[in-house]
Amino acid sequence: NVRKAGGHFRARGGQSRPIMVHGLDLITAPPFVSTDNIKALPGDEVIRPGNTYAIEITPVNADGTMGVFFSRTYVITEDGHRNIVPYPMEEIAVAGG
């Protein structure tokens, strides 16, 4: 559950960007899923083939000075989903101080 991700960071003294999943058309579009709520237009609360979504889990430390942005974009298909930007997660390097 994506909404649990934001709660995970908060429970450990961190934070995350408010919106963690959103739809895509020419620009960012509903639904907007955050830790605290879901905002959707009628009909947008159902995931359907042909819809595209960005999942953006962005943990940030408690004072907001360091964070990392993880994003994946998926198109929903009749058979499931397809990752539109399949950048290998194992190639992401994270440095901290």
Side-chain angles (χ1 to χ4, degrees):
N1 182 314
V2 175
R3 292 182 70 191
K4 289 182 181 179
H8 174 84
F9 301 123
R10 287 181 181 177
R12 286 156 182 78
Q15 55 184 319
S16 67
R17 288 184 52 206
I19 296 173
M20 292 181 290
V21 175
H22 59 82
L24 291 171
D25 52 22
L26 293 176
I27 58 171
T28 300
F32 299 102
V33 180
S34 72
T35 302
D36 301 315
N37 61 39
I38 297 172
K39 293 181 181 176
L41 297 172
D44 285 336
E45 60 279 289
V46 177
I47 295 175
R48 294 186 183 93
N51 290 358
T52 305
Y53 299 92
I55 300 173
E56 300 174 346
I57 306 299
T58 309
V60 180
N61 66 352
D63 67 6
T65 59
M66 184 189 293
V68 63
F69 183 84
F70 291 106
S71 179
R72 289 286 194 222
T73 302
Y74 296 92
V75 63
I76 306 305
T77 66
E78 293 291 340
D79 300 323
H81 65 277
R82 182 171 45 97
N83 187 351
I84 295 175
V85 186
Y87 190 84
M89 292 297 282
E90 61 273 4
E91 293 185 20
I92 296 174
V94 179

